[in-house]
Amino acid sequence: MQIIGRIVKTQQELKEAVFPNVAQQFIDYSWLCQIAIIAPRNENVSVMNKQLLQELPGNVQVYKYIDTTCDINEAVKYPTEFLNTLEPPGVPSHTLELKIGAPIIFLRNLHPPSLCNGTRFCIKKLMPNIIVVTIMTKHAAGENVSIPSIPIIPSDFPFQFKRFSSLFV
């Protein structure tokens, strides 16, 4: 992978510099695996992902996650509405928008070495509790796999909460 530095003034300019003609090129797995934008804050990533997703053909499917405290006694201190606003590193947002054909990157180690942190996939089918993807990187490139709904418990909070995907909204 080649690393290129370039100063841009707007997010739009950044998007066009890194992902030119994304609507036509997103079907080229080798192209997708060579490019990425790294941002220091989740909110910046969310904005860019949403803009790029809008450029891809097809309908957006929305997943809403269910957030609950792990300790029932803390539910009063940390209501669901508050938990829904949290954006911990390595955890998907409360609302996740996806499209068939969109590239995604795995943030967990589920079944190494094929389903592990950093593996890139292309979405093939979106179902209520399973996403069918094609692996684009590593030794299992080209293989289709199903990724189940995974409960995630962030470890970097003073309390524990669980984020778990629900049905499409």
Side-chain angles (χ1 to χ4, degrees):
M1 177 189 278
Q2 182 181 12
I3 298 174
I4 299 172
R6 178 176 159 193
I7 297 174
V8 294
K9 294 181 181 174
T10 66
Q11 282 191 348
Q12 180 66 26
E13 190 180 344
L14 174 62
K15 185 178 70 164
E16 290 170 3
V18 178
F19 293 98
N21 303 316
V22 70
Q24 289 78 38
Q25 295 197 63
F26 79 99
I27 57 173
D28 181 354
Y29 292 173
S30 64
W31 178 75
L32 283 175
C33 291
Q34 294 175 23
I35 57 175
I37 296 174
I38 299 174
R41 296 171 35 156
N42 283 348
E43 64 191 49
N44 296 341
V45 172
S46 295
V47 168
M48 185 67 66
N49 283 344
K50 194 167 197 155
Q51 291 173 354
L52 288 165
L53 193 64
Q54 288 175 352
E55 292 191 26
L56 300 181
N59 297 321
V60 171
Q61 295 285 337
V62 178
Y63 283 103
K64 292 273 189 180
Y65 285 83
I66 298 170
D67 296 329
T68 59
T69 56
C70 293
D71 180 353
I72 193 75
N73 297 320
E74 292 188 326
V76 174
K77 289 194 275 185
Y78 306 106
T80 301
E81 297 79 16
F82 168 73
L83 298 176
N84 292 351
T85 66
L86 299 177
E87 299 277 341
V91 177
S93 297
H94 170 67
T95 301
L96 180 63
E97 297 180 359
L98 300 171
K99 281 186 182 181
I100 293 174
I104 59 173
I105 297 176
F106 218 55
L107 300 176
R108 290 279 181 265
N109 290 326
L110 182 62
H111 190 269
S114 56
L115 299 178
C116 58
N117 187 18
T119 303
R120 292 184 184 205
F121 304 94
C122 179
I123 298 172
K124 291 295 174 193
K125 188 173 184 180
L126 296 167
M127 296 181 284
N129 292 307
I130 295 176
I131 298 171
V132 178
V133 297
T134 300
I135 299 172
M136 295 192 299
T137 56
K138 308 205 178 182
H139 81 283
E143 184 180 327
N144 289 334
V145 294
S146 297
I147 300 174
S149 183
I150 304 167
I152 299 170
I153 301 173
S155 59
D156 51 352
F157 277 87
F159 63 93
Q160 284 194 321
F161 80 97
K162 177 170 58 172
R163 183 161 282 171
F164 190 79
S165 69
S166 64
L167 300 177
F168 285 123
V169 174

